């Protein structure tokens, strides 16, 4: 069975600082991995995805993530935080098959201070 | 840009009542999903639907739940007899059959059971 662990339910950074949100996964088969962002009172928006191509994945809004099989990790980073990055971030895994459900982590709330 | 829409945005109901949550997936998408998020907890998969039948469901999706695609555009989730613990945010999602595994999420319906 697959699972996702997000370390840190709340991360606080200053504007301009590095953002690092951690995600570790467990999967018995090669997974597809995703990061979604949720702004207040909105749905989930895809930031980026890993689908077995390049291990370093670039997404929207300057975010990127690196798939590390040896560490079973898919951490999300952004070199310089912006106030508008404040939101909840979810890491998710699915099997490498069509139509399969997403299994989400518990989410990390990112706060950005000026 | 096409998007998934959900109605209502907030539903309040009495315990034991039936509720129907409505979703309009993106028009050319073929896989449809329902997820829920209890306040303060992770997003959980409920059910996936393809070709007019359930393709996958979780343990949460018991006999009290049902899904339907009554016409060419709507996708509904029915809870037959609501319980207090059904209070949650319910998200609908859709995806293309091919061309990637991104699921597009709606803004959610907040269900409050009193």
């Amino acid at each position: 069975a697959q699972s996702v662990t997000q370390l840190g339910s709340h991360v606080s950074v200053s504007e301009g600082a590095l953002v690092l949100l951690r995600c570790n996964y467990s999967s018995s088969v090669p997974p597809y991995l995703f990061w979604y962002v949720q702004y207040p009172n909105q749905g989930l928006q895809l930031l980026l995805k890993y689908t077995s191509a390049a291990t370093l994945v670039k997404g929207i809004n300057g975010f990127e993530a690196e798939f590390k099989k040896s560490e079973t990790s898919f951490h999300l980073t952004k070199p310089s935080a912006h106030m508008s990055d404040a939101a909840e971030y979810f890491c998710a895994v699915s099997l490498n098959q069509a139509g399969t459900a997403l299994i989400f982590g518990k989410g990390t709330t990112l706060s950005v201070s000026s | 840009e096409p998007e998934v829409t959900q109605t209502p945005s907030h539903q309040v109901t009495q315990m034991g009542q039936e509720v129907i949550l409505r979703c309009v997936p993106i028009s050319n998408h073929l896989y449809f999903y329902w997820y829920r998020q209890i306040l303060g907890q992770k997003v959980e998969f409920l059910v996936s639907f393809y070709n007019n039948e359930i393709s996958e469901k979780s343990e949460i999706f018991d006999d009290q739940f049902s899904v339907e695609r009554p016409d060419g555009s709507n996708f509904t989730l029915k809870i037959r007899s609501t319980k207090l613990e059904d209070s949650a945010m319910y998200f609908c999602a859709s995806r293309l059959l091919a061309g990637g595994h991104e699921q597009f999420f709606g803004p959610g319906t907040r269900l409050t059971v009193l």
Side-chain angles (χ1 to χ4, degrees):
Chain A
Q2 303 135 298
S3 65
V4 173
T5 302
Q6 290 183 243
L7 293 173
S9 60
H10 198 165
V11 171
S12 297
V13 300
S14 300
E15 194 171 22
L18 171 72
V19 175
L20 171 60
L21 305 183
R22 298 178 187 273
C23 173
N24 288 89
Y25 70 91
S26 170
S27 178
S28 56
V29 297
Y32 282 10
L33 293 159
F34 306 81
W35 275 99
Y36 280 85
V37 61
Q38 184 180 31
Y39 298 102
N41 301 314
Q42 294 188 29
L44 299 164
Q45 180 184 6
L46 182 70
L47 275 178
L48 47 79
K49 63 181 179 183
Y50 166 76
T51 55
S52 73
T55 57
L56 181 62
V57 181
K58 294 188 185 299
I60 62 171
N61 301 338
F63 284 93
E64 62 182 39
E66 186 172 8
F67 172 68
K68 291 187 176 180
K69 184 178 179 181
S70 61
E71 298 177 8
T72 61
S73 69
F74 191 56
H75 302 329
L76 182 71
T77 60
K78 181 173 180 177
S80 176
H82 192 272
M83 298 292 286
S84 61
D85 295 327
E88 184 141 24
Y89 292 79
F90 294 94
C91 182
V93 64
S94 75
L95 285 177
N96 188 355
Q97 292 176 11
T100 304
L102 291 174
I103 307 301
F104 284 88
K106 288 189 175 182
T108 298
T109 301
L110 175 65
S111 300
V112 183
S113 57
S114 56
Chain B
E1 185 178 327
E3 58 183 17
V4 177
T5 60
Q6 291 185 242
T7 54
S9 57
H10 193 181
Q11 173 95 44
V12 180
T13 189
Q14 296 291 325
M15 191 169 55
Q17 295 295 305
E18 174 184 287
V19 294
I20 297 176
L21 309 182
R22 290 182 168 79
C23 168
V24 178
I26 295 173
S27 62
N28 61 338
H29 285 191
L30 299 177
Y31 269 96
F32 313 117
Y33 304 81
W34 284 102
Y35 293 83
R36 78 172 185 191
Q37 184 181 28
I38 295 171
L39 189 63
Q41 299 186 25
K42 66 170 73 175
V43 177
E44 300 172 292
F45 166 73
L46 292 178
V47 65
S48 62
F49 192 85
Y50 169 70
N51 199 25
N52 283 320
E53 62 183 23
I54 291 173
S55 58
E56 192 177 3
K57 62 182 181 179
S58 72
E59 292 176 353
I60 302 168
F61 194 86
D62 60 22
D63 292 343
Q64 292 297 314
F65 292 90
S66 62
V67 289
E68 192 179 28
R69 187 151 164 85
D71 52 44
S73 59
N74 289 283
F75 179 52
T76 62
L77 174 69
K78 182 192 290 186
I79 308 175
R80 264 181 266 282
S81 177
T82 50
K83 307 181 185 72
L84 295 176
E85 54 265 37
D86 293 326
S87 294
M89 182 73 91
Y90 288 80
F91 292 105
C92 174
S94 70
R95 51 155 285 186
L96 286 168
L97 176 60
H101 290 250
E102 177 181 355
Q103 294 181 25
F104 291 81
F105 284 78
T109 292
R110 178 163 298 284
L111 176 66
T112 302
V113 182
L114 302 176

